[in-house]
Amino acid sequence: MATMWNFLCVVNANLFNSSSPFLPLRINSNSNLRFRFRRATITSMCVPEDDVVVVGYGMTTVDFLATVDSFPNPDDKVRTTSFKVQGGGNAGNALTCAARLGLKPKLISKVGDDSQGHAIINELQRDAVDTSFVLVSKGGSSAFSYVLIDNQTKTRTSIYTPAHPPMMPDDQSQSTLLSAFDEARLVYFDGLTTNTALFIAQEAARNKIPILVEAETAKEGMDELLKLADFAVCSARFPKAWTHASSIPSALVYMLLKLPNIKFVIVTLGEDGCLMLERSAKEVADTKEEDIDCFFKSLYERKDDSLAVPTCISSVKYCGF
């Protein structure tokens, strides 16, 4: 399964709030992130506490992964260079990574009672993910994806078939959710099914449990979900699409301005790593307003492309745009 190790580790950092109209923003740019180096390097810097309970709600699937030399043209026939079948889905991936980091994840999701649903649950259980809150729909079908991996461009194209029937708010009682939330330090949402996510997030907020939302696409219900969030992790496309800002750094500033509960927002940038803006209440004397795009460019120019391990370039600034 794919990983979200950076995001979960960042949650363990010291976070601050600010009500100032000119937000002091901590800008953190990670570069050269490659999966094979993440585990050894990041876990050595940020070791989670024992027995930390993390609850996640969202999609878990079976992925059919086919690698080809190059993406086919319409009506082409191509041969795969490799093929794998494994668990996937944003929530399944995130909680698998949490388990491998030593946390205690609980998954709230729904699968069918088909062979794929049983395979999903078995794989999660092998990774020590608590699946006691995963509903199994009698006669239902589990979610799955065909993933075509282009070896030439190093990109992937995913064709997703959702589970049926979908999970609905009344599928989980309030008492069941309270049981899932027992000792939870964080509730994660993949942002894909917002109606049910909102119901669960409202319960988490009432119980004062921090909420992390993964925002891939701007969709109905995402605004309300983000308003409840303490942390947001975005795809490269989401910030500009959601804010209509002219650049990603400006969009992240807008997000912190529009979402006063958010403590930090991260955008993933593929091979360029990720960019994080963190709200800080720390007062900085003799500061001047600085253009966010120019400041980001100056940070980006400091990265060392010769390094093969994750690197962190950080600063604290008052930023304008």
Side-chain angles (χ1 to χ4, degrees):
M1 290 188 173
T3 61
M4 290 182 62
W5 303 51
N6 275 351
F7 313 150
L8 295 174
C9 282
V10 170
V11 171
N12 292 327
N14 291 323
L15 307 173
F16 306 94
N17 282 312
S18 174
S19 58
S20 169
F22 290 96
L23 298 177
L25 302 174
R26 179 170 296 154
I27 299 176
N28 184 308
S29 175
N30 277 333
S31 62
N32 296 327
L33 292 180
R34 297 182 174 88
F35 170 73
R36 59 185 178 184
F37 297 105
R38 286 185 181 182
R39 182 173 185 178
T41 304
I42 293 178
T43 56
S44 65
M45 294 187 299
C46 184
V47 179
E49 302 173 23
D50 292 336
D51 299 328
V52 173
V53 175
V54 177
V55 177
Y57 167 75
M59 177 181 67
T60 183
T61 71
V62 170
D63 285 351
F64 300 90
L65 306 165
T67 302
V68 294
D69 288 328
S70 61
F71 195 85
N73 294 315
D75 209 31
D76 273 359
K77 292 183 179 180
V78 297
R79 187 182 296 271
T80 61
T81 58
S82 67
F83 178 77
K84 293 181 181 179
V85 180
Q86 63 184 39
N90 294 21
N93 289 343
L95 295 195
T96 295
C97 295
R100 293 178 183 180
L101 278 170
L103 307 179
K104 294 178 65 176
K106 303 176 184 179
L107 176 64
I108 302 173
S109 191
K110 191 173 187 177
V111 299
D113 63 350
D114 50 11
S115 59
Q116 293 174 356
H118 295 302
I120 288 169
I121 290 176
N122 289 338
E123 184 172 354
L124 290 167
Q125 290 176 345
R126 286 197 299 270
D127 272 304
V129 176
D130 183 344
T131 61
S132 58
F133 300 96
V134 176
L135 299 179
V136 179
S137 175
K138 185 175 181 180
S141 57
S142 302
F144 63 92
S145 294
Y146 297 113
V147 184
L148 194 62
I149 302 166
D150 186 336
N151 214 22
Q152 185 177 58
T153 61
K154 308 302 181 185
T155 58
R156 59 95 179 98
T157 301
S158 180
I159 304 172
Y160 168 60
T161 301
H164 182 81
M167 189 165 182
M168 303 302 291
D170 57 2
D171 281 345
Q172 295 278 16
S173 67
Q174 186 178 39
S175 60
T176 301
L177 288 178
L178 291 176
S179 177
F181 292 159
D182 186 36
E183 298 184 346
R185 299 275 291 276
L186 179 76
V187 182
Y188 157 86
F189 296 90
D190 64 10
L192 296 178
T193 51
T194 51
N195 279 345
T196 305
L198 272 172
F199 172 74
I200 297 173
Q202 287 163 355
E203 289 298 319
R206 274 194 282 270
N207 286 275
K208 303 186 184 305
I209 306 172
I211 293 170
L212 185 152
V213 172
E214 181 180 356
E216 280 194 348
T217 57
K219 60 175 63 179
E220 185 178 358
M222 181 59 76
D223 289 17
E224 290 76 12
L225 190 58
L226 284 171
K227 287 175 184 177
L228 295 170
D230 298 272
F231 319 104
V233 179
C234 309
S235 66
R237 297 177 183 177
F238 180 84
K240 290 173 64 176
W242 193 71
T243 64
H244 305 290
S246 59
S247 68
I248 288 178
S250 295
L252 298 188
V253 175
Y254 275 117
M255 288 185 70
L256 287 186
L257 289 169
K258 292 176 69 174
L259 302 167
N261 291 332
I262 291 283
K263 296 174 176 63
F264 67 65
V265 57
I266 293 174
V267 58
T268 58
L269 301 172
E271 64 182 9
D272 289 323
C274 66
L275 176 66
M276 182 181 95
L277 267 69
E278 176 186 350
R279 196 190 307 271
S280 174
K282 184 178 180 180
E283 295 295 332
V284 181
D286 301 323
T287 59
K288 63 179 181 179
E289 189 175 286
E290 187 169 345
D291 180 85
I292 184 66
D293 294 311
C294 293
F295 182 65
F296 170 67
K297 183 179 179 181
S298 70
L299 283 181
Y300 197 79
E301 289 172 348
R302 287 163 49 190
K303 74 184 185 75
D304 187 349
D305 290 324
S306 67
L307 296 176
V309 296
T311 58
C312 177
I313 306 167
S314 62
S315 183
V316 177
K317 289 285 184 180
Y318 284 87
C319 299
F321 48 90

